[in-house]
Amino acid sequence: MVVEPEHAAVNGRERPQRPQTTHREVADELRARIRSGRLRPGQRMPTQAQLAEEFGVERGTVRQALRILQSERLLTNVSKGSPATVAPDLYGPQAGPEARPMPTTVALASRIAAAFAAEHVEVDALCLTSVSLTLALGEPLRQIHAGRLKPAKIDVRVLLPSSDIDLAFPVAVSGGAAVGPVHKRWLAMRNAQGQVLQHNLLGLRATHGIDVRVSFRALPFTPPVKLYVLNGSEALFAYYTLSRREQEIDHEPLEMYDAEGIRSTLFAFDQGGGLRDGVFVKQSRLWFDALWGTISSELVLTG
């Protein structure tokens, strides 16, 4: 019997098997192929059997991944029968009255990648943890490393809740101590995501000679919305919608009120998209600048 290399024994011990690929990982890879153009609007996808073989998973896992992309309006005709199809209107209007609101996971990366085509990139973000922003920056960073994007200067400013406040959410349903396990979990995520974001962007100084500045400031309140202002000409806005859910923290199940920001519906407004859009972008810039220059304070991504 032939032993697979990844399962072969080493010093009498069997190597652990690779972790099973999840449906979300399959969806992430297919989403990246659609965004990059490898899978074009209107193109038929490989069959579920072909995808299952490629990713080494069951067909049920593939179907779950395809349903995610269908819910994000990236695919049509997802069924057990014929292959799905990449949405034909994938690159429709991105802003203005005709723009179709989409989940943050779908819309943000493409808009930030487009913003990085400018010589001087400016990204202002107000959010709860910066998870969505860190994920979205992966696409333009890949394009920079591939030589397809070449900005000369990048300025990123991020407003996040202060670690010293009692958050409105996430919060334990039962209440309890202000600095309890839910707060500690949020703080660890906020700090980790901010540090990754900062590290990845500042690394462009050494690798590509880009003038990069990344700044964080702390808000004295929990933002009920998330906002991204790109190059001063586009504003992306989403509500944090709360739900009650159970999360395991420190190996204990805990009921909490929380919002999954990466799935929030993102509304896009462009400076050139008409009077309504232009005013919204202008007011968003003024609001962000006012918060940055008045009641926010220095933020250190530790503790």
Side-chain angles (χ1 to χ4, degrees):
M1 180 179 69
V2 177
V3 180
E4 295 273 339
E6 63 267 29
H7 299 155
V10 179
N11 296 329
R13 294 184 179 180
E14 186 175 332
R15 288 182 181 173
Q17 295 187 7
R18 293 177 180 173
Q20 179 68 38
T21 301
T22 68
H23 66 282
R24 293 196 181 279
E25 290 171 330
V26 174
D28 290 344
E29 172 58 27
L30 295 177
R31 187 187 298 111
R33 294 179 189 180
I34 293 171
R35 286 175 177 165
S36 67
R38 287 176 59 190
L39 293 170
R40 300 180 302 280
Q43 179 180 345
R44 295 187 77 180
M45 297 282 290
T47 66
Q48 292 181 18
Q50 290 171 326
L51 291 171
E53 182 178 358
E54 176 186 349
F55 290 100
V57 298
E58 300 292 331
R59 290 194 192 186
T61 301
V62 171
R63 279 195 293 274
Q64 285 180 284
L66 297 179
R67 289 190 189 111
I68 289 176
L69 299 182
Q70 180 176 247
S71 72
E72 296 174 354
R73 300 178 183 175
L74 295 178
L75 294 180
T76 61
N77 302 327
V78 174
S79 68
K80 291 185 178 180
S82 59
T85 303
V86 180
D89 58 346
L90 188 63
Y91 302 111
Q94 298 285 340
E98 302 302 318
R100 182 175 60 190
M102 303 181 77
T104 300
T105 49
V106 179
L108 186 57
S110 61
R111 300 315 308 145
I112 287 186
F116 268 68
E119 184 174 0
H120 182 190
V121 180
E122 295 178 284
V123 177
D124 291 336
L126 178 148
C127 44
L128 190 65
T129 61
S130 77
V131 170
S132 297
L133 179 60
T134 302
L135 289 172
L137 283 168
E139 181 63 22
L141 287 174
R142 282 191 292 271
Q143 294 196 33
I144 289 173
H145 289 298
R148 291 191 291 270
L149 290 175
K150 300 179 180 179
K153 186 176 182 180
I154 300 172
D155 283 306
V156 176
R157 298 188 298 174
V158 185
L159 284 170
L160 295 166
S162 169
S163 60
D164 299 329
I165 65 173
D166 293 342
L167 289 175
F169 63 91
V171 65
V173 172
S174 60
V179 187
V182 175
H183 185 93
K184 290 178 180 178
R185 174 180 169 274
W186 163 80
L187 182 59
M189 182 178 295
R190 186 205 71 173
N191 291 344
Q193 292 296 323
Q195 288 166 357
V196 169
L197 185 154
Q198 189 174 48
H199 173 79
N200 290 345
L201 286 170
L202 294 181
L204 296 174
R205 289 177 176 174
T207 59
H208 292 75
I210 300 173
D211 181 8
V212 180
R213 289 185 296 179
V214 183
S215 306
F216 296 88
R217 287 187 69 79
L219 293 169
F221 62 88
T222 308
V225 299
K226 58 167 58 181
L227 173 71
Y228 308 94
V229 181
L230 310 179
N231 294 340
S233 63
E234 184 175 10
L236 307 171
F237 175 91
Y239 294 101
Y240 282 116
T241 302
L242 295 183
S243 64
R244 179 171 177 163
R245 62 188 180 91
E246 185 178 285
Q247 179 76 39
E248 185 174 297
I249 300 179
D250 296 333
H251 308 293
E252 293 289 338
L254 186 64
E255 289 284 331
M256 68 174 71
Y257 295 117
D258 199 3
E260 194 171 7
I262 61 174
R263 303 200 182 282
S264 300
T265 300
L266 204 63
F267 297 86
F269 300 84
D270 189 271
Q271 189 73 54
L275 178 61
R276 181 204 65 162
D277 277 35
V279 171
F280 187 88
V281 173
K282 180 180 179 180
Q283 291 302 312
S284 295
R285 292 172 61 189
L286 290 173
W287 186 56
F288 187 95
D289 287 341
L291 290 175
W292 189 270
T294 57
I295 62 174
S296 65
S297 57
E298 182 181 1
L299 188 153
V300 180
L301 295 170
T302 57

